[in-house]
Amino acid sequence: GVIIHKAREHNGYVTFMIPGNVESLRIISRASRPSDVIGPFVDDRRYFGVAIDEITLFEGKQSVSITSHKTDAELDGWLNATSENARWTNGNALLSLGKRQINSVAMLTLHIHAAGPYVMSDAAASTRQKVA
């Protein structure tokens, strides 16, 4: 139930500092349905959050590539894999980090392959209209 904010973002790579007691986490993002964003003629009602390619956990002197999002068909919060390169979340995806070292801090890096477009919230749309 703790929010872990990003520590760094550069060229599509987002890095988070992960406490030692964390063995799984949820990747939370905005999400929209193509039928809402593109139009009703697109009959796709799945929620798309972000498409994630590479996931790497840096802990101590080791780096571990996490590939469960590409290999496990049934993962909570992940859409069916449509590509070998990346897999879309539904905006609330579970990610298991595996067994971790006790009392250590790790860096988790996600490569965001694609994101959006998203439906703007009413508050964001109102703010945008006032600025324009």
Side-chain angles (χ1 to χ4, degrees):
V2 177
I3 296 174
I4 301 173
H5 296 282
K6 65 183 173 188
R8 183 171 197 263
E9 183 175 354
H10 182 68
N11 287 339
Y13 289 89
V14 183
T15 303
F16 301 87
M17 291 180 60
I18 309 297
N21 61 339
V22 176
E23 292 185 359
S24 66
L25 51 84
R26 290 206 164 266
I27 301 168
I28 308 293
S29 70
R30 292 181 291 171
S32 289
R33 302 180 311 173
S35 59
D36 295 332
V37 175
I38 299 169
F41 52 88
V42 177
D43 191 24
D44 191 344
R45 294 184 177 96
R46 298 175 295 167
Y47 280 91
F48 286 80
V50 291
I52 298 178
D53 184 2
E54 302 169 22
I55 301 175
T56 308
L57 183 70
F58 300 94
E59 186 168 29
K61 296 180 180 180
Q62 296 180 349
S63 67
V64 177
S65 180
I66 298 173
T67 59
S68 59
H69 68 296
K70 293 184 180 182
T71 58
D72 294 349
E74 297 294 322
L75 285 176
D76 185 32
W78 295 86
L79 300 180
N80 292 334
T82 57
S83 155
E84 292 180 15
N85 295 332
R87 187 170 179 186
W88 284 91
T89 71
N90 67 3
N92 187 358
L94 180 65
L95 179 65
S96 176
L97 303 177
K99 199 70 174 159
R100 300 267 321 282
Q101 296 176 16
I102 299 173
N103 298 325
S104 68
V105 175
M107 300 296 284
L108 179 71
T109 301
L110 309 175
H111 181 233
I112 308 298
H113 186 73
Y118 302 109
V119 173
M120 288 184 6
S121 68
D122 292 339
S126 175
T127 302
R128 188 172 185 186
Q129 288 173 356
K130 290 177 187 176
V131 172

